[in-house]
Amino acid sequence: MLHHIELYVSNLERSERFWSWLLGQLGYEQYQRWADGVSYRADGTYIVFVQAELRYMDVPYHRKRVGLNHLAFRAASREQVDALTDALQDRGITLLYAHAHPFAGGERHYAVYFEDPDRIKVEIVAPA
């Protein structure tokens, strides 16, 4: 079982706006807060967002380099995926693979794909 994930972000305020809404939709609650970070918890697993130090931000994140490619979350239903898709678009968030949505991962994989403010890919997957 996964205990926690910690992500360093380029702009904590911007990332917090994005992730607090999204994680709230998925059942996470704010867990901890300090000057340079915030975390959210659900079912014993938590996700931490920490402001990256300026001296380490000379090379921007890219999901196709070595390291994290994406985070995938379970949705409660296809209806939740659809509702989140609408809400993401209302918020001006561009969907990835929109031409194949909601089956971009295959005909049996109902999901929505998008990026966070630092271009980390996020996937929300409906139950099979």
Side-chain angles (χ1 to χ4, degrees):
M1 298 230 350
L2 188 64
H3 188 268
H4 72 276
I5 297 168
E6 186 167 322
L7 300 171
Y8 277 65
V9 298
S10 64
N11 182 311
L12 182 60
E13 183 180 321
R14 182 180 66 184
S15 291
E16 185 177 359
R17 277 194 309 271
F18 176 88
W19 285 103
S20 65
W21 168 79
L22 178 62
L23 292 174
Q25 299 297 307
L26 298 171
Y28 285 76
E29 295 181 351
Q30 190 176 102
Y31 176 45
Q32 299 166 316
R33 169 179 288 291
W34 61 102
D36 293 324
V38 62
S39 67
Y40 302 88
R41 178 173 63 179
D43 299 327
T45 300
Y46 62 99
I47 302 173
V48 182
F49 301 92
V50 179
Q51 176 63 55
E53 294 179 30
L54 185 58
R55 64 185 169 155
Y56 295 115
M57 293 197 309
D58 56 338
V59 178
Y61 168 81
H62 195 289
R63 71 177 184 266
K64 292 187 178 181
R65 290 189 185 127
V66 172
L68 178 72
N69 175 269
H70 71 279
L71 296 171
F73 295 90
R74 296 177 193 273
S77 63
R78 285 185 174 201
E79 292 77 18
Q80 185 180 27
V81 170
D82 294 341
L84 285 170
T85 299
D86 291 343
L88 289 162
Q89 291 176 312
D90 289 348
R91 291 172 165 266
I93 297 168
T94 302
L95 301 185
L96 298 174
Y97 326 118
H99 66 283
H101 175 76
F103 295 105
E107 64 184 43
R108 299 180 67 178
H109 192 78
Y110 197 96
V112 60
Y113 301 83
F114 51 97
E115 292 177 325
D116 88 335
D118 283 311
R119 302 206 55 211
I120 295 173
K121 184 167 70 172
V122 182
E123 176 181 354
I124 310 295
V125 185

